[in-house]
Amino acid sequence: MKPLQPELERRKAQHLYRRRRMVEGAQGPELIVDGRQMLTFCSNDYLGLANHPEVISALQRGAERYGVGSGAAHLVTGHRQAHHALEEELAAFTGRSRALLFSSGYQANLGVLGALLGRGELLCEDRLNHASLIDGGRLSRAWMRRFPHRDLVVLGELLPRSKERGGLVATDGVFSMDGDLAPLPEMARLCRERGAWLLVDDAHGLGVLGREGRGTIDHFGLGVDEVPILVGTLGKAFGTSGAFVAGSEVLIETLIQQARSYIYTTAPPPAVAEATRASLRLVQAGELRRQRLRELIALFREGAGALGLPLMPSETPIQPLLAGTSARALAWSAALERQGILVSAIRPPTVPDGSARLRVTLSAAHSRQQVERLLEALASALSMESE
Ligand SMILES: *Cc1c(COP(=O)(O)O)cnc(C)c1O
């Protein structure tokens, strides 16, 4: 093994060292962070449901009924009515025959890719896909080819023209660090022509886009025929924890038999499934929250545009400001922090070299005044830099 300390020092020298902050209290825009009150724009709690009273009381009632731990994996004695009911409700919500719960989105992606792909089979991934899709591809031992971000021409070159065993194309629905959308209608058409399966990981689209928050696939008017494999996570707009895969009966039965990250892990607490059932109802009835979120996104983009800030082409709650170098992203983040505002600096390897950024995320729980405060703080942070 290599010595560890020099590697830590190298990370520090390159502005890549990561630190955890200690946060007090419940999730919301205002948090006590390392002992200090801060206004935050870093969570994925897009609809403000992580601390919603109905979700909390569903969790409490769930704990009274089921206890805390599930005690075993789903295939042993861990699978409870709460899990099953949530799976049925998620299947109905996404317009699919079945859904299968996983403990996290990371595990869902490892499980699906590992179950569906054998050694040497073709897997095409967008270069900016979430790390869990990349890791899942590696673990599956598939032949992974990555295409430039949203580049359908290169994807077309990677997919064989014969329909025999056409492989699998995996993409984020909303890209987690850029906030833009995958060109799903065109990807779906290409996949159909070439006999490839399309998997969409919609961690950041569900709850936010589409009718009743059904996500990016619904936003584009597509369904299970165009996108046979949907991965959704529950720790973002749903405000709870866990993930699911939704698709056909055959797909889900295959995962139950073969997805190792489903089989060899303890079923998540049933009380969390109860909490998610409550949050699913709030997501579906959440048009006002989505409306407020859209208004805040428009307010932020107008204000940032007027200030000449380096906006990226995103219409979602993920609104990155491109800094370039890690040192610059950290300097912006530190300047905001001095003004009591927390926005995380995202650096390589999470994003490609030279594209370090501030990742601003907005939530329906933010007020207009809070977004205006952010804009003022950004104006002052960036004007200090040019002096
Ligand atoms: C957050 C995220 C995941 C991981 O989900 P967890 O439930 O947090 O493990 C997977 N895919 C994408 C695109 C994500 O943004």
Side-chain angles (χ1 to χ4, degrees), residues 44 46 102-109 128-133 171-177 201-204 231-236 240-244 318 359:
N44 304 309
Y46 300 121
F102 283 76
S103 302
S104 74
Y106 191 93
Q107 282 173 279
N109 283 332
L128 299 190
N129 274 357
H130 190 262
S132 54
L133 285 171
T171 183
D172 287 16
V174 175
F175 286 87
S176 55
M177 296 300 140
D201 172 349
D202 207 20
H204 300 276
V231 178
T233 68
L234 303 170
K236 289 166 181 154
T240 61
S241 180
F244 67 93
I318 302 168
R359 181 175 181 266

Side-chain angles (χ1 to χ4, degrees), residues 270-287:
V272 173
E274 286 295 340
T276 306
R277 296 178 70 196
S279 90
L280 174 57
R281 289 192 285 276
L282 293 165
V283 163
Q284 289 202 253
E287 212 38 59

Side-chain angles (χ1 to χ4, degrees), residues 16-353:
L16 296 177
Y17 204 74
R18 293 151 193 255
R19 287 190 172 79
R20 299 173 303 170
R21 302 163 189 277
M22 188 65 79
V23 177
E24 287 169 50
Q27 160 55 24
E30 298 267 0
L31 292 173
I32 313 264
V33 181
D34 289 334
R36 182 171 161 224
Q37 172 97 23
M38 302 287 275
L39 173 59
T40 67
F41 293 89
C42 346
S43 88
N44 304 309
D45 180 21
Y46 300 121
L47 299 181
L49 298 181
N51 188 30
H52 192 286
E54 284 174 36
V55 180
I56 297 170
S57 66
L59 183 81
Q60 289 166 332
R61 276 182 276 117
E64 275 156 28
R65 173 159 174 205
Y66 294 102
V68 179
S70 64
H74 279 282
L75 293 183
V76 186
T77 55
H79 191 62
R80 297 295 203 288
Q81 282 139 314
H83 299 124
H84 208 74
L86 174 59
E87 287 179 344
E88 287 177 347
E89 289 159 11
L90 287 169
F93 174 61
T94 58
R96 283 151 197 266
S97 310
R98 298 270 305 268
L100 186 72
L101 282 180
F102 283 76
S103 302
S104 74
Y106 191 93
Q107 282 173 279
N109 283 332
L110 295 196
V112 178
L113 295 177
L116 299 185
L117 291 162
R119 183 191 288 273
E121 289 193 289
L122 178 64
L123 165 64
C124 298
E125 294 212 16
D126 188 293
R127 256 194 201 294
L128 299 190
N129 274 357
H130 190 262
S132 54
L133 285 171
I134 305 297
D135 294 0
R138 286 188 184 139
L139 198 62
S140 74
R141 301 199 182 93
W143 182 38
M144 184 164 40
R145 307 292 308 274
R146 295 172 73 179
F147 53 92
H149 185 45
R150 303 178 82 248
D151 192 331
L152 295 159
V153 174
V154 175
L155 176 59
E157 286 162 5
L158 294 176
L159 290 172
R161 297 204 172 263
S162 89
K163 278 199 172 189
E164 309 279 308
R165 293 187 74 98
L168 193 153
V169 176
T171 183
D172 287 16
V174 175
F175 286 87
S176 55
M177 296 300 140
D178 292 61
D180 56 349
L181 308 189
L184 293 186
E186 295 81 5
M187 283 178 104
R189 192 169 343 110
L190 193 54
C191 286
R192 174 173 293 204
E193 279 168 20
R194 307 297 179 83
W197 287 59
L198 179 57
L199 177 157
V200 173
D201 172 349
D202 207 20
H204 300 276
L206 283 167
V208 173
L209 300 175
R211 293 164 304 151
E212 297 189 356
R214 289 190 172 86
T216 313
I217 297 172
D218 186 80
H219 166 85
F220 283 118
L222 304 174
V224 66
D225 292 339
E226 292 87 5
V227 183
I229 312 167
L230 164 64
V231 178
T233 68
L234 303 170
K236 289 166 181 154
F238 285 83
T240 61
S241 180
F244 67 93
V245 178
S248 69
E249 181 74 27
V250 174
L251 171 72
I252 298 306
E253 282 303 316
T254 302
L255 298 179
I256 293 173
Q257 311 307 315
Q258 303 201 46
R260 295 171 65 85
S261 64
Y262 180 77
I263 299 168
Y264 298 108
T265 196
T266 301
V272 173
E274 286 295 340
T276 306
R277 296 178 70 196
S279 90
L280 174 57
R281 289 192 285 276
L282 293 165
V283 163
Q284 289 202 253
E287 212 38 59
L288 278 178
R289 287 190 176 83
R290 280 184 285 278
Q291 179 61 34
R292 184 149 68 234
L293 190 52
R294 284 192 292 270
E295 285 165 14
L296 294 176
I297 295 166
L299 176 68
F300 178 79
R301 287 189 68 84
E302 273 165 34
L307 291 167
L309 302 181
L311 280 168
M312 288 173 66
S314 160
E315 302 299 325
T316 68
I318 302 168
Q319 289 294 328
L321 296 173
L322 195 62
T325 65
S326 295
R328 191 153 179 240
L330 285 178
W332 289 358
S333 178
L336 290 178
E337 201 168 332
R338 286 193 290 277
Q339 303 178 68
I341 295 185
L342 201 63
V343 179
S344 28
I346 308 283
R347 293 162 281 163
T350 308
V351 291
D353 278 329

